[in-house]
Amino acid sequence: MDNYFLLPSWKKSVELGKRKDGGEDEDDSTDKSAYYSLETDPCAANDELRVFVGTWNVAGRSPVGSLAVHLDEWLNLRDDAVDIYVLGFQEIVPLKATTVIGAEDPTEATNWNQLIGKTLNDKYGRPWLKPMIHPITNENNQCDGAPNSTQTAFPPKDEDGLRFEQQNRYELMASKKMVGVFVSVWMRRELIKRYDVSCIKVCSVACGIMGYLGNKGSVSVSMSIGGTSFCFIVAHLASGEKKGDEGRRNYQVSEIFRRTCFHRLPEDGDKIHPLTILGHDRIFWFGDLNYRLYLEDNLARQLIKEQDWRALQKFDQLGRELDHGGVFQGWKEGNIEFAPTYKYSSYNCNRYSGGMPSRAGEKQRTPAWCDRILWYGKGVRQLSYFRSEIKFSDHRPVSALFSTQIVVKSTNTSMRSPTVPIPTTFLAQTPSRTVNEMDNEEAAPTLSSLIVKDV
């Protein structure tokens, strides 16, 4: 029990449960790189932040002027109670050969950031001023397997980052794009002044075609607010509703856990931050996770018609994986009280694709909750979980509002206690067959045809 009393309270329960089960595992796969946290500092105080997390697959469509009207509804801009907005997008560019294997183009990411910033700041009567962007592009901050990614991390107190005029309520803290996966993190300016916001890191992991192309994968942001570390992961996982496709998704989850790393850099100085996803105090994983329903199409549509969400959830793939520990062991998701978010027939349409009778050229897809938001760690309480009705793509956006505690740093920094990251045994289990083995069953002759098949 040497280090037990140095662990945060929620990690103590993990450690205690492990010891009750028979002590340390013989296979010591724990990450040995300890970091420092103020979670147990007796001189530190707790504050509460409200974090808005949203995910949306926009099906390769560019943001247009009329979309700004709908963003108000998605971002729930009824008041200024939200402290941090974390927005994840998938397919902000079409997933075709030129975008998957070509040079990364930041244009769409910039367009989305400007639209989000305008929507957030215009809401409170503050004129939007176009920012001057000086992105941090240190290659050490990019993970393996993501050659086509652009990243921008914005230190709140660094003049080389993105700066807005003082009258803007929200400031862009971090932004990262890998092919079509994109994350954008905004924070209230007054909180940046109040808390020590530091160690903003970004990382991308590509695990699509051949296991290393960016048509599927994740982008992540790591940051510390006060004495609490946060990690936000936006993921776009393997598509498909055939038997066994959920195994590909599980495998990609395990790859994202394994390959995401937030490297230490010389400019970090003496500030120590978590290196891996599970080393953080508060973790949010969201995106088009693509888990489907173990249910025939006509039965699924009947339950949707009856709005019997509880009965429908019994056949949800991700729900079963969470219950049985296939992936995300110990993670949480709020109760789903809304209709499946995928796949709608076309833009500006309330009808799901396929069904009987099906229309000519329309894809037959069983509706499913593909777009999800999960979290991990103590000190997090979900206040709402909902979908928006923006008919911009064949997905509906999904959002959640969280209340989370943070530790405010005390002036006595000598009280910091070392903590140990959660053992990697809590990662997703890897299926017996690899992605490459499954892809080789129907090998395509060219890379282009692989991309077309995946789309």
Side-chain angles (χ1 to χ4, degrees):
M1 302 287 285
D2 298 350
N3 297 320
Y4 173 74
F5 293 100
L6 298 179
L7 293 173
S9 59
W10 65 277
K11 293 180 183 176
K12 285 181 183 177
S13 61
V14 173
E15 179 72 11
L16 187 59
K18 181 180 68 175
R19 296 181 182 189
K20 284 183 179 180
D21 289 338
E24 300 281 349
D25 293 334
E26 291 182 5
D27 180 16
D28 185 12
S29 55
T30 303
D31 183 359
K32 299 299 183 182
S33 57
Y35 61 91
Y36 287 88
S37 171
L38 293 179
E39 292 282 333
T40 55
D41 189 340
C43 298
N46 289 332
D47 274 5
E48 197 167 273
L49 295 181
R50 290 206 171 190
V51 181
F52 178 99
V53 177
T55 177
W56 192 9
N57 185 319
V58 296
R61 301 192 69 193
S62 298
V64 294
S66 60
L67 183 61
V69 177
H70 301 289
L71 282 186
D72 279 9
E73 188 247 338
W74 181 39
L75 301 181
N76 203 26
L77 296 176
R78 297 185 183 92
D79 53 45
D80 61 350
V82 176
D83 298 307
I84 304 173
Y85 281 94
V86 186
L87 305 180
F89 297 84
Q90 305 82 46
E91 297 189 41
I92 66 169
V93 297
L95 299 184
K96 54 186 181 181
T98 54
T99 57
V100 173
I101 63 176
E104 191 71 66
D105 184 355
T107 302
E108 293 303 324
T110 301
N111 291 340
W112 277 106
N113 273 336
Q114 292 197 11
L115 179 59
I116 295 166
K118 177 177 173 62
T119 303
L120 289 176
N121 290 302
D122 281 3
K123 172 69 179 179
Y124 305 105
R126 293 165 173 79
W128 171 252
L129 300 179
K130 184 176 180 180
M132 296 183 63
I133 299 178
H134 303 285
I136 296 173
T137 56
N138 192 316
E139 293 182 357
N140 291 328
N141 221 22
Q142 178 173 312
C143 287
D144 61 336
N148 291 342
S149 62
T150 58
Q151 55 198 1
T152 309
F154 303 98
K157 296 180 180 179
D158 188 343
E159 293 183 356
D160 291 333
L162 176 63
R163 308 303 295 172
F164 291 102
E165 295 296 332
Q166 290 294 325
Q167 65 264 36
N168 286 329
R169 175 66 60 89
Y170 290 93
E171 179 173 331
L172 179 60
M173 304 301 295
S175 174
K176 183 167 180 60
K177 173 184 180 293
M178 181 190 72
V179 186
V181 188
F182 173 60
V183 65
S184 185
V185 180
W186 298 75
M187 188 172 181
R188 286 173 60 185
R189 172 175 287 275
E190 61 193 76
L191 298 181
I192 300 173
K193 296 178 179 179
R194 183 185 309 170
Y195 302 115
D196 178 17
V197 182
S198 62
C199 296
I200 303 178
K201 307 283 183 179
V202 290
C203 179
S204 62
V205 173
C207 50
I209 298 167
M210 300 184 295
Y212 281 92
L213 287 186
N215 59 308
K216 295 293 188 290
S218 69
V219 292
S220 306
V221 173
S222 170
M223 61 190 299
S224 293
I225 304 174
T228 303
S229 57
F230 288 80
C231 189
F232 305 103
I233 306 102
V234 181
H236 191 187
L237 303 182
S239 60
E241 55 184 31
K242 300 189 303 294
K243 183 178 180 180
D245 284 338
E246 69 275 17
R248 301 177 65 208
R249 293 185 269 274
N250 291 355
Y251 178 78
Q252 289 177 349
V253 169
S254 66
E255 282 293 281
I256 292 169
F257 273 118
R258 184 178 66 85
R259 289 160 51 190
T260 299
C261 182
F262 304 101
H263 297 284
R264 291 185 180 130
L265 302 175
E267 52 265 34
D268 293 336
D270 60 352
K271 293 183 178 179
I272 302 176
H273 61 85
L275 302 181
T276 62
I277 291 175
L278 288 173
H280 292 77
D281 299 309
R282 317 280 185 263
I283 313 170
F284 300 87
W285 185 305
F286 49 106
D288 182 0
L289 307 189
N290 254 321
Y291 286 94
R292 307 304 173 91
L293 296 174
Y294 293 116
L295 191 62
E296 293 181 3
D297 181 77
N298 60 330
L299 297 177
R301 292 174 189 267
Q302 181 60 35
L303 290 175
I304 293 171
K305 184 178 180 180
E306 298 171 0
Q307 297 188 12
D308 193 346
W309 313 133
R310 180 171 296 182
L312 197 62
Q313 285 181 59
K314 294 178 181 178
F315 304 95
D316 174 55
Q317 286 183 352
L318 181 56
R320 289 194 181 183
E321 296 295 338
L322 287 168
D323 291 340
H324 300 134
V327 288
F328 298 113
Q329 184 177 355
W331 289 62
K332 297 179 182 178
E333 182 184 26
N335 192 34
I336 301 176
E337 295 290 346
F338 50 83
T341 55
Y342 174 85
K343 169 179 174 54
Y344 283 89
S345 177
S346 60
Y347 312 124
N348 299 316
C349 180
N350 277 327
R351 187 178 65 83
Y352 289 108
S353 180
M356 298 298 291
S358 60
R359 298 183 179 180
E362 189 174 73
K363 292 182 178 180
Q364 182 69 37
R365 294 289 186 271
T366 302
W369 288 296
C370 290
D371 310 279
R372 312 290 279 269
I373 300 173
L374 311 175
W375 77 92
Y376 191 79
K378 296 293 184 180
V380 178
R381 181 167 57 96
Q382 189 179 73
L383 305 177
S384 62
Y385 193 24
F386 59 96
R387 68 170 237 173
S388 301
E389 301 305 321
I390 306 175
K391 304 170 187 176
F392 185 72
S393 78
D394 54 354
H395 289 251
R396 294 293 185 265
V398 172
S399 312
L401 182 62
F402 296 93
S403 174
T404 178
Q405 292 182 347
I406 66 167
V407 177
V408 182
K409 288 185 177 181
S410 65
T411 55
N412 185 4
T413 56
S414 63
M415 296 294 295
R416 294 184 179 182
S417 302
T419 64
V420 182
I422 299 175
T424 54
T425 53
F426 286 83
L427 303 186
Q429 297 176 0
T430 305
S432 56
R433 293 189 302 163
T434 66
V435 172
N436 289 335
E437 289 172 345
M438 287 184 280
D439 288 343
N440 287 337
E441 292 177 0
E442 298 179 13
T446 67
L447 183 58
S448 266
S449 60
L450 275 173
I451 295 172
V452 171
K453 178 183 175 183
D454 184 83
V455 172

